[in-house]
Amino acid sequence: MHARGHSATEPGGGMGVLQRAYGLACDNLRSVEIVTADGAVRTASRDEHADLFWALRGGGRGLGVVTSFEFDLHPVGPQVAKALVLYPYEQAGQVLRAWRDLVPALPDTVSPEFVLWSIPPDPQIPAGMHGQRVVMVAGVYAGPAAEGAAVLAPLAGLGTVLMDASGIADYATMQGELDAAFPAGGRYLFKSHFMTEITDAAVDAMIACDAGRPNPQSLMVIRSLGGAVARVGQDESAFAHRGARYNLSIDAGWTDPARDAEMVGWARSSWAALRPFGTGGVYVNFAGLEDDTDDADDAAVYGRGARRLDAVRAAYDPDALFDVAARRPRPTGGPR
C-alpha cells in the first residue's frame, strides 16, 4: 500500500490492535519519501539511506518532512471478530489480575487491551449508562472472522459481565469508532510506562490512581506487547522497547483551559506513582509535555539507540533546522 500525506516523520512506533500478530506500524514500513533539511527529496529504505530509515522507524520527529510512506500489507477483514466486554468498576482489581494471567495464554493473533474509563455517549449504549465508570476489556482477532469468537471468548470470563458488545465488525469502520471521544481541538496529555510484568502491587497502584481520575473523558489503558513486536531485533529500529510485555498509558483529555493544572497534575502524579512498576522506558508518542523532560529523557525514550539517533539527526540536519521538531511532541490527538 502506498499512502501519501504529510508528517514530521514516521511516529514513535505506532501501536495497534494487531501488533502482536503483525508488529508495530514502523515494523511494516517499507520505504519513506522524505524532504531533509538541505531540501533534497530522498527515499529511505533498508537499501537506500539505511541509517535514516532506521531512525524513521520509531525515532519520533526532527528528521525531515515525510511526503509519502510505503507499507507492507497483511490479509485482514474486511470483517473481523472483536471482543469488547464491560465489567463493573468495583471488580477492577479482580478483572485486571485475571486479564494479566490470561494474556500469556492467548495466541499472537490477539493483542488484548485493558481499560479503566467511563462509558462515552455512544448511541448504541443505553443513555443511563453514559458516564458510568467501568472496566473495559478489548481485543481483535487477526484471522478469519468465523474463527475469532472461540479465541476471544476467554475475555468475557474475567468477572461479572456488565455488557458484552463482542461480535463481527467491519475492520475499517471499527478503527474510527472512538474518534468522537477524542475530538480535534481538545486538550490532551498522554504519559506512559513500559512494563515487563503486572504485579499485584501494580494493580492496586493503578486502580488507586484511577480513583482520582478527574473527568469521564480521561482513561488509563494497558496494551499487550510481545509476539511480532518482540521478534524484531533490538537494534533494527529506533523503537527501543522490544522486551516489554505491556504499555501502560495515562490519557488525560479535557476541553476547558481552566482545568489545565488539575488535569496535568493528575496525569503527572499518576505517572510518578506508577513509575516503580515500569522498565524506565517511555513511549515517545505518550511522553507528556515539553517540560516533562526529567520524566522522559532520550535514554528513557530511545534506550541505547539515543546516541545513534543523535548522529543520524546531525548527519541529515547539521544546522539543526528541525531542532524544535526533534523535541518530544505535545500530544494533540487520538489514543495511539
Side-chain angles (χ1 to χ4, degrees):
M1 178 178 67
H2 193 260
R4 289 199 169 268
H6 297 277
S7 170
T9 62
E10 173 67 0
M15 292 191 286
V17 297
L18 304 177
Q19 62 191 14
R20 287 180 10 137
Y22 300 126
L24 303 170
C26 70
D27 299 334
N28 293 278
L29 191 61
R30 183 177 294 180
S31 69
V32 179
E33 183 183 84
I34 181 171
V35 182
T36 49
D38 58 0
V41 180
R42 292 179 164 90
T43 297
S45 68
R46 288 180 174 84
D47 301 319
E48 301 178 77
H49 303 290
D51 55 343
L52 182 58
F53 185 66
W54 172 88
L56 287 163
R57 296 174 66 212
R61 300 186 178 185
L63 294 162
V65 178
V66 171
T67 52
S68 72
F69 300 104
E70 187 178 21
F71 287 98
D72 291 328
L73 291 179
H74 301 281
V76 177
Q79 300 290 305
V80 294
K82 71 167 186 177
L84 178 59
V85 186
L86 276 58
Y87 293 97
Y89 191 78
E90 295 73 21
Q91 295 184 10
Q94 169 192 334
V95 174
L96 179 49
R97 288 176 173 86
W99 182 89
R100 169 198 66 190
D101 296 340
L102 174 64
V103 169
L106 291 173
D108 292 347
T109 47
V110 184
S111 304
E113 299 184 354
F114 174 91
V115 187
L116 296 176
W117 203 11
S118 301
I119 298 176
D122 187 327
Q124 300 182 31
I125 300 175
M129 296 178 67
H130 294 175
Q132 178 179 338
R133 289 193 178 215
V134 293
V135 179
M136 299 183 182
V137 172
V140 175
Y141 180 65
E147 299 176 358
V151 179
L152 296 168
L155 293 171
L158 308 180
T160 303
V161 174
L162 186 64
M163 187 178 82
D164 190 345
S166 305
I168 305 299
D170 180 80
Y171 180 71
T173 301
M174 183 191 68
Q175 288 284 4
E177 286 178 345
L178 293 179
D179 287 356
F182 300 90
R187 306 175 80 79
Y188 302 102
L189 170 58
F190 302 152
K191 293 179 68 65
S192 67
H193 290 292
F194 284 98
M195 307 169 73
T196 56
E197 62 177 344
I198 302 173
T199 64
D200 286 347
V203 170
D204 294 340
M206 179 179 176
I207 294 170
C209 290
D210 189 74
R213 179 160 43 91
N215 66 351
Q217 290 74 39
S218 300
L219 62 153
M220 301 181 77
V221 187
I222 302 178
R223 298 182 176 89
S224 56
L225 302 171
V229 178
R231 289 192 288 271
V232 176
Q234 187 67 46
D235 297 322
E236 291 184 36
S237 72
F239 181 83
H241 311 286
R242 300 291 175 179
R245 295 179 61 186
Y246 308 97
N247 178 268
L248 166 61
S249 179
I250 302 159
D251 300 353
W254 69 105
T255 56
D256 184 359
R259 301 193 69 179
D260 285 0
E262 176 190 14
M263 301 304 302
V264 170
W266 171 74
R268 287 177 171 169
S269 64
S270 296
W271 187 91
L274 293 164
R275 187 173 191 170
F277 308 105
T279 64
V282 172
Y283 185 38
V284 66
N285 291 12
F286 304 159
L289 303 177
E290 291 176 1
D291 55 355
D292 282 322
T293 52
D294 290 341
D295 294 343
D297 59 19
D298 280 355
V301 174
Y302 302 115
R304 67 191 186 194
R307 289 186 178 181
R308 182 178 175 184
L309 185 58
D310 284 344
V312 173
R313 285 184 174 135
Y316 287 91
D317 187 10
D319 297 322
L321 177 66
F322 293 110
D323 182 63
V324 174
R327 302 170 189 162
R328 284 177 290 104
R330 291 179 181 269
T332 57
R336 299 198 187 277

